[in-house]
Amino acid sequence: MLKNNVKVAYRSLLKNSVFSLINIVGLAVGISAFVLILKFVSYELSYDKWHQHSDRIYRVALNKYQGNQEVVPFATNFNALPKAIREYIPTVEKVTMPFRPASGIFIFTYRQGDRIRQFQEDHFLYADEYFTTIFSYNFIAGNPALALEASFSIVLTESAARKYFGSDTKVEDIIGQRMEVSSFSQDIQHTVTGIVADVPANTHLSFDLLLSASSFEALYPEENFADSWEWYDTYVYLLAQTGTEATQLTTQLQSLLQTNSEAMGEGKSVKSKVVLQPLTNIHLHSHRQLEAEANGSYQHIAFLLIIASALLIVAGLNYANMSTALSLKRIREVGIRKYLGATKRQLRRQTLTETGLILLLALAITLVCISLVLPQLPTSPVFSANWFDPYFVASVVLGLTVLLVLIGYYPARFAARFEPINAIKGRYKGHAKLQYLQNSLIGFQLFIGLLTLTFTFMLYQQYQFMHQQNLGFEEQLLVFSAPTVQTVRGTEAYATQVQTFKERLIASGAIGSVSASTHVPGRLLEYSTSKIYAEGQDAGQGIDMNFIGIDADYVKTLGLKIVAGENFAEKSKSDEVPYILNEKAARALGFTDPVTAVGQYVTHHGSQHRVQAVVNDYHQKSLQEPIIPLAFVYLPTHHEYFMVKLASSDVASTIERVSALFAEHFPDNPFSYYFLDDAFQQLYQAEQQYSRFFNALSVLMILISSLGLFSMATFSAQQRTQEIGIRKTLGASTQGIIALLAKDYIKLLVLASIVAMPIAYVSMQLWLENYAFRIDVSWQLIVFPLVIILLVTLFTISFKTVQAALANPVDSLKQE
């Protein structure tokens, strides 16, 4: 029986080759997109689940409340909190406090005779001895419990070990080796105490190297680092005991803040609240200041899942729609089968065999499509990860099962319902119901297509808006790292060295201006936040301000506008340490306007500072975030970056000249540079990637829908051949026939747009709330996708409608 069903199915596919090809291609495209999206989604959902105790690990984040009750969410927490947790919360097994260095350029060097391996590193952490026992890192060499216990210890990943020691060196021989870490004008020897396998990419807290936290404390004992309730510089992770309730733990943690509110400088009214974040939720659900890595977006993942499901459903509906329509062409075949004794079960089995054969062919094409597409995708751990992950495989199997039911159940049930006598006569009583069902399915496809295209167009417009927005400063600047190795910042000798370097750059004729600063736009203001309040206010009214150390050329080089007051003067002899504020900071401190702010005093760390000037607001961070209050301090010899405004169009030779002068004045320091506008645009890299991704998905959605429209338009034209012939014989025009055949689809599009547009409008409004600076949801965002769908619909159905309208009526009527 199965062999006979396969033969009949094969002959049916050949007989209806055009429709079969459309169905197979549509299903293959839909399944391919579904599998690839599902792979990406499953990878995003897998973040940090590979840790052994991931279900019991939490990050203790912090919400800070400003004077106006504005919530500022931080991923970090108070430095003294881990120690307090160990003393007062017994339900916590372990707690650790990793942290990024407080800005600064770090140079790592390994020397062996004449051989020197030296690199600037940005991707590392300070961590304590609990870090490697809470998290499940695979130690290749060294003891996880002891590797970070001693001061000036360093743990390398396998890749970092190869970079510094070569691939031929055994890991056992690397343990005990000495490496020099240069930062903040200090060159400190560290001992390699451990090597771990490269950290999996699906983690929110990755690193290439680990430095012992006690090293930092040994270098700066006056900071009282681990006991400070004034600074919130560290990430705090804890491992809770099995069965510990998160709500109970949050209450206990908040009680610790309440107990130490005076030490936090918040008085009796605590304005800081802890937020307990499950480890596996951080990547997709946490978007706080000072995040360790750029996190993903749960909204993006949810939208991708919707799109993936929609693609699969639309492809399945195309098949179901076309399959039921083709059943009418085989109505006499079904009638004869029933008359000869075929049961409904046998007829359903025959239809399911045909469906299974088409699905197998579609799956074969899917494998070919994926194998061809994967090499074209950017190199990413997403698609190189394990394809046999149980959750991913189960999701794919579930999706294909739903697809099989969707494309197989109704067509099989529909074909088996024909009454033998009427079927042999070629009659079907449910024609109106079938037509209604087919129109509903087409309308649903148009509805999905409109939503997808509208959302994609909105994402593109938002990305273009961020890309083209005026950032409020000069973007065409060359940025390079300040010297770290063998330099002593803050000394007269260093100041003279820097000044000579800047003068020689200007004298070269290729440089317009040069500035040195602790931070530059587009880079995180890591741990440069502290409390400040205006004269006449008390400490409880203070706000958290971001501070940037600059020289007298910063405002000029960056192209900022002084709204009120005067810029810092070079070589100021005054003992007073004045500040410059941006407009947002002046307003946040309660000043009515910039002019009023100039000359007033603010209190910072117990000292008063006069406001010397106010500059225009500019975007220090991405346009996704609001403009932040900034205070600028005159620190000409305590900087991390140089910014250079080029005066020559010959960029390559200018960079070469700058590099040569840098090497001459600061030997042994690597010259690491980039352009400010390029770095800033990298902040929008995720938006750009998602925009391109959604563009591709929209094209696929329109393609699949177009295939369905084309097949249904073809079938409709075939079914109405005699009707068209009669109408033309009675005098109907070609234009009238085309309008007759097209109007049903236009009606469906109008109905789909009536339903889709309000949903699209509300969805776009909700989505854009994630951006501090965003486009307006205008009528163009609604109408433009509708016009595209209309044109695609008309173009798709025009082949058969025009062909049917131009056909000679004699050819159709002579068959009657």
Side-chain angles (χ1 to χ4, degrees):
M1 179 62 73
L2 178 61
K3 182 179 179 180
N4 182 63
N5 286 343
V6 172
K7 283 184 177 180
V8 174
Y10 175 71
R11 291 169 183 167
S12 177
L13 293 181
L14 291 181
K15 184 178 180 181
N16 301 287
S17 57
V18 174
F19 297 114
S20 299
L21 182 62
I22 290 175
N23 281 329
I24 292 171
V25 170
L27 286 173
V29 172
I31 295 172
S32 299
F34 175 77
V35 170
L36 290 175
I37 293 173
L38 209 60
K39 180 59 180 171
F40 178 80
V41 170
S42 66
Y43 180 82
E44 288 288 290
L45 293 174
S46 71
Y47 264 66
D48 291 308
K49 290 182 178 178
W50 49 271
H51 290 290
Q52 183 179 356
H53 302 298
S54 60
D55 59 327
R56 294 193 285 128
I57 300 176
Y58 297 88
R59 184 174 74 180
V60 188
L62 186 69
N63 281 350
K64 295 283 289 181
Y65 290 81
Q66 303 282 33
N68 58 1
Q69 295 302 302
E70 177 187 2
V71 178
V72 182
F74 287 95
T76 54
N77 215 306
F78 291 101
N79 299 8
L81 183 61
K83 187 174 181 180
I85 291 174
R86 294 189 189 100
E87 292 181 10
Y88 298 106
I89 305 183
T91 55
V92 173
E93 289 185 11
K94 298 176 183 178
V95 59
T96 185
M97 49 184 296
F99 59 94
R100 300 288 189 195
S103 72
I105 306 301
F106 282 72
I107 307 298
F108 289 70
T109 307
Y110 171 66
R111 291 182 173 88
Q112 185 181 33
D114 296 334
R115 178 188 178 190
I116 299 178
R117 293 287 182 89
Q118 185 179 77
F119 300 95
Q120 178 179 322
E121 300 285 358
D122 299 313
H123 204 223
F124 66 96
L125 289 170
Y126 279 102
D128 56 27
E129 62 270 29
Y130 304 100
F131 182 77
T132 50
T133 57
I134 291 178
F135 297 105
S136 306
Y137 300 112
N138 181 20
F139 265 75
I140 300 173
N143 187 335
L146 302 176
L148 293 172
E149 186 177 41
S151 298
F152 309 116
S153 299
I154 184 171
V155 173
L156 307 175
T157 61
E158 195 171 4
S159 294
R162 286 196 299 268
K163 182 168 70 172
Y164 286 96
F165 296 93
S167 56
D168 297 334
T169 306
K170 295 180 180 180
V171 293
E172 295 83 2
D173 297 334
I174 299 175
I175 301 298
Q177 294 289 335
R178 306 280 282 173
M179 292 182 65
E180 186 177 86
V181 180
S182 302
S183 64
F184 303 109
S185 306
Q186 294 179 318
D187 304 319
I188 309 297
Q189 291 293 324
H190 287 63
T191 302
V192 179
T193 55
I195 297 176
V196 298
D198 288 347
V199 180
N202 53 339
T203 179
H204 81 285
L205 187 67
S206 61
F207 57 86
D208 295 323
L209 310 96
L210 292 173
L211 299 177
S212 55
S214 57
S215 306
F216 187 87
E217 298 173 21
L219 287 173
Y220 306 101
E222 70 280 359
E223 295 288 342
N224 196 25
F225 184 77
D227 296 300
S228 173
W229 285 102
E230 295 181 1
W231 299 96
Y232 34 98
D233 298 342
T234 64
Y235 302 107
V236 178
Y237 296 87
L238 59 84
L239 176 64
Q241 290 182 353
T242 303
T244 303
E245 293 290 337
T247 52
Q248 177 188 358
L249 195 53
T250 301
T251 302
Q252 292 173 322
L253 290 167
Q254 187 62 40
S255 177
L256 287 180
L257 295 193
Q258 181 69 49
T259 302
N260 294 278
S261 60
E262 294 288 346
M264 290 156 48
E266 298 186 350
K268 295 180 180 179
S269 176
V270 179
K271 296 181 180 178
S272 299
K273 295 190 183 302
V274 296
V275 178
L276 205 60
Q277 297 179 293
L279 179 67
T280 54
N281 285 3
I282 293 174
H283 176 64
L284 292 179
H285 297 273
S286 181
H287 300 89
R288 296 174 163 267
Q289 291 192 25
L290 303 180
E291 288 285 357
E293 307 281 347
N295 286 336
S297 168
Y298 184 78
Q299 287 182 312
H300 286 161
I301 295 303
F303 187 63
L304 283 173
L305 277 175
I306 293 172
I307 292 293
S309 303
L311 281 168
L312 202 63
I313 290 172
V314 168
L317 291 179
N318 277 344
Y319 177 84
N321 213 0
M322 198 65 246
S323 182
T324 52
L326 287 174
S327 296
L328 295 178
K329 295 180 66 175
R330 302 172 62 184
I331 190 170
R332 288 187 173 88
E333 173 193 336
V334 175
I336 293 172
R337 283 174 173 270
K338 280 196 167 186
Y339 184 75
L340 294 176
T343 63
K344 289 184 178 181
R345 183 179 180 182
Q346 290 173 323
L347 291 172
R348 285 196 293 266
R349 189 178 298 166
Q350 174 62 52
T351 305
L352 288 173
T353 301
E354 295 177 10
T355 299
L357 182 59
I358 285 181
L359 185 57
L360 285 175
L361 291 172
L363 288 174
I365 296 176
T366 295
L367 293 176
V368 175
C369 288
I370 291 177
S371 63
L372 293 175
V373 168
L374 282 180
Q376 309 304 320
L377 295 174
T379 303
S380 169
V382 176
F383 299 108
S384 59
N386 180 21
W387 282 77
F388 296 99
D389 175 75
Y391 295 104
F392 169 69
V393 173
S395 300
V396 171
V397 171
L398 177 62
L400 293 179
T401 302
V402 171
L403 176 65
L404 180 61
V405 173
L406 180 67
I407 68 177
Y409 173 74
Y410 184 78
R413 186 171 178 270
F414 176 78
R417 287 173 55 190
F418 296 146
E419 296 178 6
I421 300 300
N422 290 327
I424 293 174
K425 293 180 180 179
R427 298 173 183 171
Y428 173 57
K429 293 183 179 180
H431 231 298
K433 291 183 178 180
L434 177 61
Q435 186 68 35
Y436 176 78
L437 175 64
Q438 290 174 339
N439 287 340
S440 299
L441 296 180
I442 293 173
F444 180 75
Q445 293 180 38
L446 293 172
F447 166 77
I448 294 295
L450 277 170
L451 282 180
T452 304
L453 192 59
T454 302
F455 213 87
T456 302
F457 186 56
M458 178 270 293
L459 288 175
Y460 174 77
Q461 291 288 89
Q462 176 63 24
Y463 170 71
Q464 289 296 110
F465 170 80
M466 294 191 298
H467 182 74
Q468 299 169 1
Q469 187 77 356
N470 181 11
L471 299 176
F473 58 84
E474 174 61 51
E475 301 173 48
Q476 301 295 324
L477 298 177
L478 178 71
V479 181
F480 54 94
S481 302
T484 296
V485 180
Q486 297 179 2
T487 58
V488 183
R489 298 178 189 175
T491 63
E492 286 294 330
Y494 180 72
T496 301
Q497 194 177 13
V498 169
Q499 186 61 32
T500 304
F501 172 63
K502 292 170 65 175
E503 289 173 356
R504 291 191 64 186
L505 283 176
I506 298 295
S508 69
I511 303 301
S513 61
V514 187
S515 172
S517 60
T518 58
H519 299 84
V520 294
R523 295 284 188 177
L524 291 177
L525 293 170
E526 297 171 326
Y527 317 118
S528 65
T529 304
S530 54
K531 197 170 290 295
I532 185 174
Y533 55 94
E535 189 175 14
Q537 298 177 336
D538 57 45
Q541 294 176 283
I543 64 170
D544 290 309
M545 185 78 73
N546 294 277
F547 287 80
I548 299 178
I550 65 174
D551 61 9
D553 296 312
Y554 183 87
V555 172
K556 174 186 175 182
T557 304
L558 204 58
L560 301 181
K561 178 183 177 182
I562 295 181
V563 181
E566 296 180 352
N567 188 21
F568 291 135
E570 195 75 61
K571 299 181 180 179
S572 173
K573 299 297 182 181
S574 173
D575 293 332
E576 187 180 52
V577 182
Y579 286 174
I580 291 177
L581 307 177
N582 68 346
E583 294 175 283
K584 180 70 176 288
R587 290 192 298 270
L589 287 167
F591 300 118
T592 55
D593 57 71
V595 176
T596 304
V598 174
Q600 300 296 319
Y601 283 84
V602 295
T603 301
H604 179 223
H605 284 319
S607 300
Q608 287 196 321
H609 302 268
R610 183 175 59 87
V611 178
Q612 179 165 317
V614 177
V615 297
N616 65 290
D617 286 336
Y618 69 92
H619 294 278
Q620 178 72 26
K621 298 182 179 182
S622 161
L623 269 74
Q624 288 179 274
E625 302 181 48
I627 290 177
I628 58 176
L630 293 173
F632 302 93
V633 187
Y634 185 63
L635 292 173
T637 59
H638 293 79
H639 48 258
E640 309 300 335
Y641 301 96
F642 284 108
M643 287 191 297
V644 172
K645 182 184 293 185
L646 305 184
S648 170
S649 58
D650 191 349
V651 176
S653 62
T654 301
I655 293 175
E656 186 176 348
R657 178 60 177 160
V658 172
S659 176
L661 287 173
F662 185 82
E664 182 179 340
H665 285 270
F666 309 106
D668 298 327
N669 283 273
F671 180 72
S672 176
Y673 74 92
Y674 63 90
F675 283 94
L676 191 58
D677 56 340
D678 293 337
F680 217 89
Q681 292 307 320
Q682 287 180 1
L683 298 176
Y684 310 131
Q685 190 173 7
E687 280 70 24
Q688 185 180 19
Q689 289 178 346
Y690 275 113
S691 179
R692 290 174 178 172
F693 202 8
F694 290 140
N695 288 343
L697 294 179
S698 294
V699 170
L700 290 179
M701 181 67 74
I702 292 174
L703 173 63
I704 295 174
S705 299
S706 297
L707 289 174
L709 285 171
F710 178 79
S711 60
M712 290 307 301
T714 301
F715 183 79
S716 178
Q718 291 177 356
Q719 292 292 98
R720 303 178 70 174
T721 301
Q722 284 78 23
E723 176 191 346
I724 293 170
I726 294 171
R727 287 180 179 275
K728 293 195 71 174
T729 302
L730 296 177
S733 64
T734 300
Q735 293 83 352
I737 297 298
I738 293 175
L740 174 70
L741 295 175
K743 71 176 183 180
D744 291 338
Y745 297 99
I746 303 300
K747 288 180 181 177
L748 291 174
L749 179 58
V750 171
L751 289 174
S753 64
I754 291 174
V755 178
M757 291 304 102
I759 297 175
Y761 179 83
V762 174
S763 300
M764 287 190 291
Q765 290 281 24
L766 293 174
W767 186 282
L768 289 171
E769 287 181 0
N770 295 308
Y771 299 88
F773 295 87
R774 54 185 179 263
I775 59 174
D776 295 322
V777 181
S778 60
W779 63 269
Q780 291 95 331
L781 284 175
I782 304 293
V783 173
F784 184 73
L786 180 59
V787 171
I788 291 179
I789 293 292
L790 175 62
L791 293 176
V792 169
T793 301
L794 293 176
F795 180 77
T796 302
I797 66 175
S798 64
F799 290 102
K800 287 302 175 181
T801 54
V802 172
Q803 183 182 4
L806 294 176
N808 190 338
V810 175
D811 294 333
S812 57
L813 294 177
K814 69 181 181 181
Q815 299 175 12
E816 290 297 308

